[in-house]
Amino acid sequence: MASKTNPGNYFEDFRIGQEIRHATPRTITSGDVALYTGLYGARFAVPSSDEFARRIGFDGAPVDDLLAFHMVFGKTVPDVSLNAVANLGYAGGVFGAPVYPGDTVGTVSTVIGLKENSNGKTGVVYVNSVGRNQRGEMVLDYNRWVMVHKRDESAPTPETVLPELPGVVAPEALQIPKSLDLSAYDFELAGSPHCWDDYAIGEKIDHIDGMTIEEAEHQIATRLYQNTAKVHFDQVAAGAGRFGKRLIYGGHIISLARALSFNGLGNGFRIAAINAGAHANPAFAGDTVFAWTEVLDKFEIPGRRDLGALRLRLVAVRDGQASDFPLRDAEGKYDSGVLLDFDYTVLIPR
């Protein structure tokens, strides 16, 4: 009798152009929002306050942009990265329609690249994933690549296809909600006086605060997104791996670093794009995460004088203040304490 269980896809199961309609659409509730706040403690005013959000043109408080990201991402895991060694990076991510409590998101992915590794045991799979709400509106369109185990090391090596991915999402590709009007933006209630004009290209900001990752927290967070990757949950499997213990979902570090960035970027109220991202080193329970940001660029929004965009590099580090802005060592490799190098674009009032 054939097995009724799903072992997930291995590297040799993927093919270029393959479209995967992921199971289990997710209705996001106010309970999810409360749990997300409890896990990360982000204090950005727009996703925290219905009244604040309505004053600047939202229907109410949208869910945190990264909560929407994780929900869209989580749908892909059973099909794309259940047998992953690690999630490696992101590019060309665009946020579309705001997500509100009560919205249902589903995801479809297309395989856009394949490359077997030289060890013959693993390969890298590139996918484009698009999340849509119940009205068919795009809420997130992004690319990621993940290293996946092979089921059979003797399986034929596929032709290498490396997709052309943008280094940055162009300002004209950003999707600005048409209803936004920041003329009534309240800087005092937002918790920061700093607007678009106050930031300079090349400026670096130490976000000062740290947060220690507890085992239970990252497990709860990853389950919240219905992310089933074995490397996060299965100590039996992880114990036989390179590190001997479970890895923390890289998205957990993104959310922690974003929450910490409030102290210095409190008015970056909306993530508009993910330009690039790398999980530089694995994170584990017990690590204390600190973060710093570099302003990479500033964009004016055509026809808008009330808001602009900042392209930011958000770097998360472990177990030490980020005041010396660590990133790479003398050989150009990521410093061993760097967990995340995340290039993203935020909307911010002018």
Side-chain angles (χ1 to χ4, degrees):
M1 181 181 294
S3 173
K4 293 182 173 61
T5 59
N6 177 16
N9 290 316
Y10 290 83
F11 179 71
E12 61 264 42
D13 297 323
F14 294 98
R15 65 184 186 277
I16 297 296
Q18 178 181 1
E19 184 176 276
I20 305 170
R21 187 173 177 229
H22 302 293
T24 321
R26 185 73 154 84
T27 301
I28 302 175
T29 69
S30 57
D32 297 320
V33 173
L35 182 53
Y36 188 85
T37 302
L39 289 165
Y40 303 109
R43 292 178 285 153
F44 295 96
V46 167
S48 296
S49 167
D50 281 333
E51 292 306 312
F52 191 102
R54 289 190 187 106
R55 285 184 64 179
I56 63 171
F58 288 101
D59 294 344
V63 307
D64 190 288
D65 300 307
L66 288 177
L67 175 57
F69 167 80
H70 296 316
M71 292 297 196
V72 170
F73 181 106
K75 301 296 94 190
T76 72
V77 171
D79 300 309
V80 175
S81 49
L82 186 66
N83 297 303
V85 179
N87 188 48
L88 299 177
Y90 314 91
V94 176
F95 286 80
V99 177
Y100 296 97
D103 282 348
T104 298
V105 297
T107 310
V108 174
S109 295
T110 304
V111 178
I112 59 173
L114 292 170
K115 182 182 183 299
E116 184 169 309
N117 290 324
S118 58
N119 63 13
K121 298 178 180 180
T122 59
V124 179
V125 180
Y126 296 77
V127 296
N128 169 254
S129 298
V130 180
R132 297 186 183 277
N133 63 20
Q134 68 275 15
R135 293 178 294 277
E137 298 166 331
M138 185 275 286
V139 300
L140 177 64
D141 182 334
Y142 75 105
N143 307 290
R144 72 163 171 138
W145 50 103
V146 57
M147 188 186 303
V148 180
H149 287 289
K150 291 182 71 174
R151 178 192 297 106
D152 177 4
E153 294 180 18
S154 66
T157 301
E159 178 185 359
T160 296
V161 176
L162 297 178
E164 292 187 12
L165 299 173
V168 61
V169 175
E172 57 269 22
L174 302 178
Q175 298 202 12
I176 314 297
K178 294 180 180 178
S179 59
L180 274 187
D181 178 0
L182 271 62
S183 59
Y185 192 93
D186 190 324
F187 287 87
E188 185 176 13
L189 288 182
S192 171
H194 305 301
C195 63
W196 183 86
D197 311 78
D198 297 322
Y199 293 89
I201 296 173
E203 178 180 2
K204 293 181 179 179
I205 304 164
D206 176 8
H207 298 300
I208 301 174
D209 308 304
M211 192 175 297
T212 302
I213 304 170
E214 304 295 346
E215 194 79 79
E217 290 173 341
H218 84 88
Q219 297 266 291
I220 290 170
T222 310
R223 283 193 290 265
L224 174 66
Y225 319 131
Q226 297 175 325
N227 179 337
T228 57
K230 299 174 185 177
V231 293
H232 307 316
F233 295 109
D234 185 347
Q235 182 56 41
V236 173
R242 173 184 172 190
F243 302 105
K245 53 186 175 181
R246 290 163 289 171
L247 277 64
I248 288 173
Y249 164 48
H252 191 70
I253 306 302
I254 298 174
S255 282
L256 275 179
R258 166 70 172 165
L260 294 172
S261 77
F262 175 85
N263 192 352
L265 282 162
N267 291 317
F269 69 92
R270 163 94 169 151
I271 299 179
I274 297 173
N275 301 303
H279 298 292
N281 288 288
F284 304 98
D287 289 348
T288 299
V289 177
F290 296 84
W292 62 270
T293 290
E294 178 183 4
V295 180
L296 297 178
D297 209 344
K298 298 176 67 172
F299 306 130
E300 294 190 8
I301 304 299
R304 302 295 297 257
R305 296 297 302 167
D306 59 332
L307 62 84
L310 297 177
R311 180 185 171 197
L312 306 170
R313 161 178 264 162
L314 176 62
V315 178
V317 302
R318 84 171 110 228
D319 296 344
Q321 285 282 349
S323 54
D324 57 349
F325 307 114
L327 185 62
R328 297 185 184 273
D329 62 22
E331 298 179 355
K333 297 179 180 179
Y334 279 112
D335 183 283
S336 61
V338 172
L339 301 174
L340 174 73
D341 184 1
F342 192 63
D343 179 338
Y344 72 121
T345 300
V346 299
L347 302 181
I348 186 169
R350 295 186 68 171

